[in-house]
């Protein structure tokens, strides 16, 4: 008797805890797929490489990781998030960007599951029949077919500069940024004082001040960043590419990015790029632009979330056709 596949596939997203941007978009995919009516769960691996000579090590690491993971989850449930907000061991357990995503506990899947691995996972530890490899960055395992990936795996890229045309000649792309606009929002509509700073990728700039007259938010939890953004009048960034400048504006700051000496807007951004809610330098016209376009910044991120949802919907439909038609 021929097996009939379900009309709606299930998804298992293999992801680390939400301690970075890659994990956030992986969780966002699971969230969007779930909201679209599909069963989608996240599996947390304790090791990235499942390959000959390391398989026993992989599963030992998985057991150790799972025990540690369960303990941390239990502590957060017992005591709440606040005691652990600034504890680096609990990064990804508290103050996470994407909430409400179901977890897959056991490393077993069925033929009804589509398993999504990111570019840094080697091999197929869940022994999935239907595998998607999502290149969130440049793929470094192309020269390891049969070990890092299978010929039957389907590749997607997060953006075209990360694509490998040999592995993904169709240019399949899945881009699901997620912005928690319930967290990043203005709550203080009254008096504001002082300046906060963003350094991040600008840490090596020769024009970086030796000291600051306000708090640098780089190492704060997201909740703390939002609190500071709602207290300060200005947010000044030496990282020209961070989304935190726009998020600070959404929270009510007059947000400014500081260009390096001698550089212009065109040195950093495409000609048609509009940096809503953010001033390029301290020119009064730019400062006024920052305030005037704050609502446009909020609308932009709202639209990005909707675009992510639409891309997740298209991805699900592709998987139906690729694996279950």
């Amino acid at each position: 008797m021929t097996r009939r596949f379900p009309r709606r596939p299930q998804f298992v997203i293999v992801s680390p805890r939400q301690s970075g941007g890659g994990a956030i978009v992986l969780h966002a995919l699971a969230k969007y797929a779930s909201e679209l009516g599909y069963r989608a769960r996240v599996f947390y691996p304790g090791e990235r490489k499942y390959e000959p000579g390391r398989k026993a090590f992989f599963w030992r690491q998985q057991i150790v990781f799972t025990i540690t993971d369960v303990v941390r989850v239990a502590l957060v449930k017992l005591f709440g998030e606040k005691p652990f907000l600034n504890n680096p061991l609990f990064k990804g357990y508290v103050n996470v960007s994407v909430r409400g995503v179901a977890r897959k506990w056991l490393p077993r899947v069925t033929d009804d599951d589509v398993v999504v691995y990111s570019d840094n996972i080697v091999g197929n530890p869940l022994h999935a029949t239907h595998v998607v490899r999502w290149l969130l960055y440049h793929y470094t395992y192309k020269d390891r077919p049969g070990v890092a990936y299978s010929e039957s795996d389907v590749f997607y890229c997060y953006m075209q500069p990360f694509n490998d045309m040999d592995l993904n000649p169709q240019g399949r792309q899945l881009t699901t940024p997620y912005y928690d606009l319930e967290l990043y929002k203005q709550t203080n509509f009254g008096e504001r004082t002082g300046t906060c700073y963003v350094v991040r990728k600008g840490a090596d700039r020769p024009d970086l001040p030796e000291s600051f007259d306000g708090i640098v938010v780089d190492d704060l939890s997201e909740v703390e960043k939002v609190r500071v953004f709602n207290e300060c009048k200005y947010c000044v960034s030496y990282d020209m590419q961070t989304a935190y400048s726009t998020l600070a504006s959404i929270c009510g700051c007059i947000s400014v990015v500081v260009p390096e000496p001698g550089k212009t807007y065109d040195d950093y951004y495409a000609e048609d790029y509009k940096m809503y809610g953010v001033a390029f330098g301290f020119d009064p016209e730019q400062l006024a632009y920052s305030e005037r376009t704050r609502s446009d910044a909020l609308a932009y991120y709202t639209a990005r979330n909707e675009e992510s949802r639409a891309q997740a919907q298209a991805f699900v439909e592709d998987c139906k056709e690729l694996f279950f038609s």
Side-chain angles (χ1 to χ4, degrees):
M1 182 177 178
T2 303
R3 190 183 193 288
R4 297 182 63 188
F5 288 103
R7 293 178 61 186
R8 304 176 77 81
Q10 302 176 158
F11 295 90
V12 176
I13 317 298
V14 179
S15 171
R17 287 283 179 178
Q18 294 181 63
S19 57
I24 290 173
V25 300
L26 286 160
H27 280 75
L29 176 60
K31 181 179 180 67
Y32 289 131
S34 178
E35 290 176 351
L36 290 166
Y38 298 87
R39 190 182 190 198
R41 295 160 292 165
V42 172
F43 178 79
Y44 297 113
E47 167 64 22
R48 293 187 301 106
K49 296 182 178 181
Y50 184 76
E51 57 188 338
R54 291 177 58 91
K55 293 184 178 180
F57 174 76
F58 180 97
W59 292 117
R60 285 197 299 269
Q61 290 297 100
Q62 187 65 34
I63 292 169
V64 172
F65 166 79
T66 301
I67 294 171
T68 304
D69 188 74
V70 168
V71 169
R72 289 176 181 168
V73 169
L75 287 172
V76 172
K77 286 187 176 180
L78 182 62
F79 297 105
E81 293 192 2
K82 188 173 181 180
F84 307 103
L85 283 174
N86 297 311
N87 186 332
L89 295 178
F90 285 81
K91 190 173 183 180
Y93 294 86
V94 297
N95 196 30
V96 297
S97 295
V98 185
R99 297 177 181 269
V101 177
R103 176 176 188 170
K104 181 171 179 57
W105 287 94
L106 297 178
R108 294 179 58 197
V109 296
T110 71
D111 288 343
D112 299 336
D113 290 305
V114 176
V115 174
V116 179
Y117 296 115
S118 64
D119 55 277
N120 64 355
I121 298 293
V122 174
N124 183 9
L126 298 186
H127 298 280
T129 303
H130 310 301
V131 172
V132 169
R133 297 199 182 268
W134 194 9
L135 307 185
L136 303 180
Y137 197 59
H138 301 288
Y139 195 51
T140 58
Y141 301 113
K142 178 181 177 179
D143 60 348
R144 303 189 67 193
V147 176
Y149 61 94
S150 169
E151 290 185 2
S152 62
D153 295 352
V154 175
F155 282 80
Y156 280 74
C157 62
Y158 186 78
M159 52 196 303
Q160 289 302 319
F162 300 157
N163 192 31
D164 188 309
M165 290 301 293
D166 292 330
L167 300 173
N168 181 22
Q170 301 87 352
R172 294 187 180 98
Q173 181 171 326
L174 174 61
T175 308
T176 57
Y178 178 83
Y179 304 98
D180 186 354
L181 298 180
E182 288 300 310
L183 172 64
Y184 300 107
K185 63 182 179 181
Q186 185 173 355
T187 56
N188 174 19
F189 295 89
E191 183 179 355
R192 292 167 174 262
T193 59
T195 303
C196 61
Y197 295 88
V198 180
V199 176
R200 296 173 67 81
K201 294 187 289 294
D204 295 327
R205 285 178 50 163
D207 62 324
L208 190 70
E210 293 184 2
S211 61
F212 297 94
D213 59 1
I215 188 169
V216 177
V217 303
D218 292 18
D219 295 326
L220 298 182
S221 69
E222 298 307 294
V223 170
E224 286 297 298
K225 285 186 179 76
V226 171
R227 180 185 63 79
V228 171
F229 290 158
N230 270 281
E231 291 176 351
C232 292
K233 184 173 183 178
Y234 296 94
C235 176
V236 176
S237 177
Y238 288 86
D239 181 345
M240 305 300 292
Q241 305 292 340
T242 181
Y244 283 115
S245 293
T246 309
L247 295 173
S249 176
I250 289 173
C251 291
C253 284
I254 299 174
S255 186
V256 182
V257 292
V258 182
E260 295 164 273
K263 289 196 173 183
T264 68
Y265 189 93
D266 293 338
D267 292 318
Y268 296 103
Y269 311 112
E271 184 178 354
D272 59 347
Y273 177 70
K274 295 184 183 298
M275 191 164 53
Y276 296 123
V278 182
F280 187 80
F282 292 94
D283 183 88
E285 289 186 6
Q286 281 291 312
L287 296 177
Y289 170 85
S290 171
E291 295 189 88
R292 187 174 67 252
T293 60
R294 180 174 296 139
S295 61
D296 296 314
L298 178 58
Y300 171 77
Y301 279 117
T302 301
R304 290 298 303 276
N305 280 347
E306 289 305 312
E307 290 170 11
S308 294
R309 186 185 304 275
Q311 289 220 14
Q313 174 74 73
F315 170 73
V316 167
E317 296 301 323
D318 282 349
C319 287
K320 286 182 182 180
E321 183 176 345
L322 288 165
F323 300 121
F324 302 116
S325 60

